[in-house]
Amino acid sequence: MSLFGSSQSPSPEVLAGAGAAGSRFLVLEGIDGAGKTTHLQFLASQLRAAGQSVLITREPGGSPLAESLREIVLHSPWMA
């Protein structure tokens, strides 16, 4: 099922209309290996192709300090 409630990908026209009334904040959640990054890249490319401005971020992340903290949390032996 897609973000728009069907198993087919939305058309660029549908995606273009999504931001017509203002900005949108989308969150993709899922377990490790679920394909979040793959889906995010596809969705971002479709939105950009439809003329939308897209900002991708992740938490924790987005700044040098946040990226360092992310590495500690994800890869430190004492966090396992």
Side-chain angles (χ1 to χ4, degrees), residues 61-74:
S63 71
L65 174 60
E67 291 296 329
S68 296
L69 292 173
R70 179 180 171 83
E71 284 299 311
I72 291 169
V73 169
L74 293 176

Side-chain angles (χ1 to χ4, degrees), residues 24-43:
R24 301 288 191 261
F25 183 79
L26 303 177
V27 177
L28 301 180
E29 294 187 8
I31 62 172
D32 290 346
K36 297 177 298 289
T37 300
T38 300
H39 283 87
L40 172 64
Q41 295 301 328
F42 173 77
L43 181 58

Side-chain angles (χ1 to χ4, degrees), residues 32-57:
D32 290 346
K36 297 177 298 289
T37 300
T38 300
H39 283 87
L40 172 64
Q41 295 301 328
F42 173 77
L43 181 58
S45 70
Q46 294 296 302
L47 288 167
R48 288 182 177 124
Q52 297 295 308
S53 175
V54 176
L55 172 66
I56 297 174
T57 187

